[in-house]
Amino acid sequence: MEKIRRTKIADVFKAPKFGSTVDVKGWVRTIRGNKYVNFIHINDGSTVHNLQIVADVEKFGIDFFKPITTGACIHVVGTLVESQGKGQNAEIQADSIEVYGTADPETYPLQKKGHSLEFLREIAYLRPRTNTFGAVFRIRHHMAYAIHKYFNDNGFYYFHTPIITASDAEGAGSMFQATTLDLNNVPRTETGEVDYSKDFFGGATNLTVSGQLEGELGAMALGAIYTFGPTFRAENSNTPRHLAEFWMIEPEMAFYDIHDNMDLAEDFLKYLIRYALEYCKDDIEFLCEHFDKELLDRLNAVVANDFVRLTYTEGVEILEKSGQKFEYPVYWGADLQSEHERYLVENHFKRPVILTDYPKEIKSFYMKQNEDGKTVRGMDVLFPKIGEIIGGSEREADYDKLVQRTKELNMNTDPIWWYMETRRFGTAPHAGFGLGFERLILFITGMTNIRDVIPFPRTPNNAEF
């Protein structure tokens, strides 16, 4: 007899072959019934929809079902038939059921009742089994794939930048140290400082805050590259928008100016959202129904509308004349907060906004300076409900100007001497930006806390799982 191959539940619903024998495996979401028949709903993670198993009690015996409780894992072989009930087009009449693993109903945390997102964070090892997080993490996968596909199809090269680095790309200083030194017996120099020459790399190293600087080197050789990997910030920020470990997408392009950069950012974001609407339809509709009724409308609106482009100066003027009371004051030179960004997007323009030409004092040293001596060719893409989703700039290609800026900021350029050197050897106009992957997933899922769009969030005082 030919062995029947397992069918994923998503495929059962896609093209049901009624009357055929199917083999499915998954975790029990609910079980109900009477003395004649039991209805078992299972899910294998391939879709937000549960599959109903109809099991004849007389056929299996009433005691057979005792270990089949919510959370148990089972293997079912049976006949695929049209469903008589609402909510699904197909169900399985069970011929055989095998229990792979039981789940004690007294201790299994995910019972049928609804659970708060806060509670589910405490059991992050089980929350992917819920409909909500199954949907979020499937969307996360599809977006990761779409990012690689977009850049590959547009002639970019995936460039791997180091996780451990001696430089701080942002000049922010909020970095996690990477060391093999014995912290109970730290070697010291004659002046009492930590002797990093005894450390593994022979100097002080940290976990990266960005792959940008190395990415720029790649662009200055390969033309157009992108990085996509984890980055780390040791900021003590307990907010719904911050993580200590998160993923960044950072394209860098030779021969791009600020306008090319804006064109790419807008095209890239629209591509990703269109991809999500096409390939994550069921999951987005589920999240729209249960978490954010306006989610689909918001996603479609971003795809349908051109992004507004205006300077920081124009943006500040709009905010100052708005009559709106903000928690943080608005003035020229202020680093705009999320409330300011969202006002421009949600209240004033009612579409995404790209702000450019920021005061140089509030932006990083590597941004190209404008002729006015006051502003730089930075750009931030602002989205509804999120605020800044992309930050980028045309990079300063002039060696003397870059050196002058680092001096103004009292920066120690020794760890990035190699970065400075690229401006001496065949410098060229170039630009790039960074997209926080979790911010993107927040927008596409409608979730409100960044801890809920990454499987195992790393935040202050929490590195569990």
Side-chain angles (χ1 to χ4, degrees):
M1 183 175 172
E2 187 182 350
K3 186 178 184 292
I4 302 166
R5 296 182 65 182
R6 176 197 164 212
T7 302
K8 289 187 177 180
I9 290 174
D11 295 331
V12 170
F13 289 128
K14 256 182 224 166
K17 295 177 181 173
F18 297 123
S20 65
T21 300
V22 290
D23 180 316
V24 294
K25 302 174 183 184
W27 292 269
V28 175
R29 291 292 170 84
T30 61
I31 179 168
R32 60 183 175 82
N34 52 45
K35 59 185 179 181
Y36 302 111
V37 65
N38 273 322
F39 300 96
I40 309 166
H41 287 136
I42 68 169
N43 193 291
D44 64 0
S46 63
T47 172
V48 75
H49 301 298
N50 300 328
L51 177 63
Q52 180 166 280
I53 310 298
V54 182
D56 189 319
V57 172
E58 186 179 1
K59 181 175 185 175
F60 290 93
I62 197 159
D63 290 339
F64 178 83
F65 296 97
K66 285 181 180 174
I68 302 177
T69 59
T70 297
C73 186
I74 62 173
H75 172 200
V76 180
V77 177
T79 305
L80 189 65
V81 298
E82 285 193 70
S83 180
Q84 305 303 306
K86 292 180 180 176
Q88 69 267 334
N89 64 346
E91 64 188 23
I92 293 178
Q93 298 277 356
D95 294 325
S96 71
I97 301 174
E98 178 185 1
V99 179
Y100 280 153
T102 59
D104 178 7
E106 298 296 318
T107 56
Y108 182 60
L110 289 176
Q111 293 303 321
K112 189 181 174 185
K113 64 175 185 178
H115 299 289
S116 71
L117 297 175
E118 290 81 3
F119 170 73
L120 292 173
R121 278 176 223 135
E122 294 171 11
I123 54 165
Y125 68 105
L126 287 173
R127 69 178 182 168
R129 292 197 201 175
T130 65
N131 280 339
T132 299
F133 286 96
V136 169
F137 297 144
R138 279 188 296 272
I139 290 170
R140 188 179 167 104
H141 155 77
H142 282 294
M143 288 298 90
Y145 175 78
I147 286 161
H148 286 299
K149 179 169 172 53
Y150 177 86
F151 285 122
N152 181 71
D153 291 353
N154 283 280
F156 284 67
Y157 298 104
Y158 183 26
F159 195 68
H160 297 124
T161 56
I163 300 290
I164 298 173
T165 176
S167 67
D168 178 355
E170 298 296 324
S174 303
M175 304 182 78
F176 289 102
Q177 235 180 317
T179 182
T180 58
L181 294 177
D182 180 357
L183 298 185
N184 294 313
N185 186 23
V186 178
R188 302 277 176 183
T189 63
E190 289 180 2
T191 55
E193 296 171 322
V194 176
D195 186 0
Y196 285 109
S197 69
K198 302 285 198 301
D199 208 348
F200 185 88
F201 293 106
T205 53
N206 309 283
L207 299 182
T208 185
V209 299
S210 167
Q212 179 198 317
L213 301 192
E214 293 90 347
E216 284 187 48
L217 309 191
M220 297 298 275
L222 300 173
I225 64 92
Y226 71 104
T227 75
F228 184 7
T231 52
F232 307 85
R233 302 277 166 94
E235 294 171 351
N236 193 14
S237 299
N238 276 296
T239 80
R241 289 162 47 86
H242 289 90
L243 291 167
E245 176 184 297
F246 56 99
W247 287 64
M248 284 276 283
I249 301 100
E250 296 176 297
E252 292 290 332
M253 298 75 61
F255 319 120
Y256 269 49
D257 64 15
I258 186 70
H259 303 289
D260 302 319
N261 209 23
M262 289 191 281
D263 291 344
L264 179 72
E266 180 169 347
D267 188 62
F268 178 48
L269 287 168
K270 286 182 173 178
Y271 174 91
L272 294 179
I273 293 166
R274 280 195 300 268
Y275 192 97
L277 288 166
E278 181 175 354
Y279 293 99
C280 310
K281 186 170 180 287
D282 286 353
D283 288 324
I284 289 173
E285 285 177 353
F286 171 84
L287 294 167
C288 187
E289 181 184 342
H290 290 88
F291 286 95
D292 186 343
K293 305 291 186 203
E294 298 170 354
L295 176 60
L296 264 171
D297 291 341
R298 205 161 51 246
L299 294 174
N300 282 310
V302 168
V303 171
N305 288 296
D306 290 338
F307 294 6
V308 175
R309 301 183 185 190
L310 74 159
T311 66
Y312 167 92
T313 302
E314 292 167 331
V316 168
E317 284 174 4
I318 290 168
L319 293 166
E320 286 177 331
K321 292 174 182 173
S322 69
Q324 182 86 0
K325 288 207 167 178
F326 295 109
E327 182 183 349
Y328 294 91
V330 179
Y331 54 90
W332 198 96
D335 199 356
L336 298 184
Q337 303 297 314
S338 179
E339 59 174 338
H340 307 137
E341 296 166 342
R342 289 183 59 182
Y343 177 85
L344 291 171
V345 173
E346 296 168 21
N347 299 78
H348 190 81
F349 290 108
K350 300 190 182 340
R351 64 177 68 188
V353 171
I354 308 181
L355 272 188
T356 62
D357 300 296
Y358 282 81
K360 68 179 182 180
E361 277 71 25
I362 61 171
K363 288 297 181 182
S364 297
F365 76 98
Y366 49 70
M367 295 193 181
K368 184 169 183 63
Q369 297 173 47
N370 284 318
E371 299 304 319
D372 61 13
K374 296 192 302 180
T375 60
V376 291
R377 292 182 197 173
M379 67 165 207
D380 285 351
V381 182
L382 314 179
F383 260 28
K385 290 201 83 174
I386 300 291
E388 182 202 331
I389 194 167
I390 274 179
S393 71
E394 186 174 341
R395 313 310 190 189
E396 182 56 75
D398 185 292
Y399 177 76
D400 293 332
K401 286 184 179 177
L402 193 62
V403 169
Q404 180 59 32
R405 188 71 187 123
T406 60
K407 285 179 179 174
E408 289 171 10
L409 294 168
N410 292 317
M411 282 180 60
N412 175 19
T413 57
D414 290 345
I416 55 165
W417 63 269
W418 42 270
Y419 178 77
M420 310 293 284
E421 289 279 273
T422 57
R423 274 65 177 176
R424 294 180 58 230
F425 305 132
T427 191
H430 61 292
F433 61 78
L435 167 64
F437 189 44
E438 284 71 28
R439 294 264 176 102
L440 173 74
I441 305 302
L442 270 181
F443 183 74
I444 289 175
T445 61
M447 303 300 279
T448 55
N449 194 313
I450 204 161
R451 295 170 172 87
D452 296 328
V453 295
I454 190 169
F456 305 105
R458 296 291 178 252
T459 54
N461 299 312
N462 177 46
E464 200 170 13
F465 310 114

